[in-house]
Amino acid sequence: CTAYRAPIQVMEALDKQSISIRMLDVHNGSYQTLYRIPMSRTDPPFERMNSCGIGPVDGMAYCAVHIGKKSFLARFDSENMDFVAKLPRRSWKATFDSKGTFCFAIDPWLYKLADVHLLPGYASPDDERLAGSERLERIAVGSSGYDIVTVLDDFEGT
C-alpha cells in the first residue's frame, strides 16, 4: 500500500461477491478501483471486511474479516490474504498507532494488539497457531463513536 499516495477505502462491490479496494481522487471526489478481493479467497468465504488500516511499520493493509460469527485480523494485498489474529467479535472501527499497534473498538472496550507486523500469517482462519486473546490488551472506554484515531501526547502535563 505504500505505492498509493491517496486515501484508500475498502467497500463491498456491487456484485456482493467481492470487496473493492478503491482510491479516492480528492480533487474531483471520484474513486478508482485498484483491485478486488473475491470473498471466496478464504475457506470458508468471508462475509464482511472492515476496520481497515495500513500498518505503519510494514506498509501492509490489515482489516477485520468476518466469517460467520467469528472475526479475525487479516493482512492482505491484491493477491494474498493471511490471517494473523483472532478477534473477540466484529468491529467496525480501528486504527494503527505510530508504533504498529492495531487498535480497535468494540464498545465499551478498546483493544490493542501490539507488533502486528511481527505476527506470522496463516492461510486458514482455523489455524490453531493464530494469535488470540492472550495477545490483546483491553481498556474500558465506554462508547467510542463511529471512528477512532490514536494520538500520542502528554495531556496531563507530566
Side-chain angles (χ1 to χ4, degrees), residues 100-158:
T101 298
F102 184 73
C103 304
F104 62 100
I106 303 171
D107 292 342
W109 303 103
L110 175 70
Y111 293 89
K112 294 169 45 176
L113 182 59
D115 300 321
V116 171
H117 60 286
L118 298 176
L119 294 174
Y122 302 98
S124 172
D126 297 320
D127 196 298
E128 61 188 37
R129 297 170 292 175
L130 276 176
S133 60
E134 73 281 355
R135 288 284 315 259
L136 295 175
E137 179 183 347
R138 185 172 83 164
I139 305 163
V141 294
S143 179
S144 58
Y146 295 101
D147 278 314
I148 60 173
V149 64
T150 59
V151 177
L152 180 61
D153 203 346
D154 183 3
F155 293 106
E156 297 177 352
T158 56

Side-chain angles (χ1 to χ4, degrees), residues 1-6 8 21 35 53-55 58-62 76-77:
C1 286
T2 55
Y4 306 110
R5 298 291 180 208
I8 296 174
I21 310 303
Y35 58 91
I54 305 299
D58 61 6
M60 292 292 296
Y62 292 83
F76 68 93
D77 59 24

Side-chain angles (χ1 to χ4, degrees), residues 35-38 41 60 75-82:
Y35 58 91
R36 290 182 184 222
I37 301 172
R41 181 173 287 179
M60 292 292 296
R75 178 173 41 232
F76 68 93
D77 59 24
S78 62
E79 301 295 323
N80 301 293
M81 182 181 296
D82 291 327

Side-chain angles (χ1 to χ4, degrees), residues 4-143:
Y4 306 110
R5 298 291 180 208
I8 296 174
Q9 188 166 15
V10 175
M11 303 174 74
E12 187 172 354
L14 294 175
D15 65 10
K16 306 276 187 205
Q17 301 297 310
S18 62
I19 297 294
S20 292
I21 310 303
R22 298 167 35 160
M23 184 170 57
L24 175 65
D25 182 327
V26 296
H27 300 292
N28 66 21
S30 67
Y31 283 96
Q32 172 191 353
T33 298
L34 302 174
Y35 58 91
R36 290 182 184 222
I37 301 172
M39 292 176 176
S40 60
R41 181 173 287 179
T42 61
D43 184 21
F46 69 90
E47 299 157 7
R48 296 273 185 265
M49 180 183 274
N50 210 318
S51 299
C52 301
I54 305 299
V57 177
D58 61 6
M60 292 292 296
Y62 292 83
C63 287
V65 174
H66 311 297
I67 301 173
K69 294 186 182 221
K70 296 180 180 178
S71 296
F72 307 89
L73 181 62
R75 178 173 41 232
F76 68 93
D77 59 24
S78 62
E79 301 295 323
N80 301 293
M81 182 181 296
D82 291 327
F83 294 92
V84 297
K86 298 174 188 174
L87 303 179
R89 53 180 236 250
R90 290 182 183 214
S91 173
W92 286 270
K93 42 197 164 185
T95 190
F96 276 95
D97 72 11
S98 61
K99 296 178 182 176
T101 298
F102 184 73
C103 304
F104 62 100
I106 303 171
D107 292 342
W109 303 103
L110 175 70
Y111 293 89
K112 294 169 45 176
L113 182 59
D115 300 321
V116 171
H117 60 286
L118 298 176
L119 294 174
Y122 302 98
S124 172
D126 297 320
D127 196 298
E128 61 188 37
R129 297 170 292 175
L130 276 176
S133 60
E134 73 281 355
R135 288 284 315 259
L136 295 175
E137 179 183 347
R138 185 172 83 164
I139 305 163
V141 294
S143 179

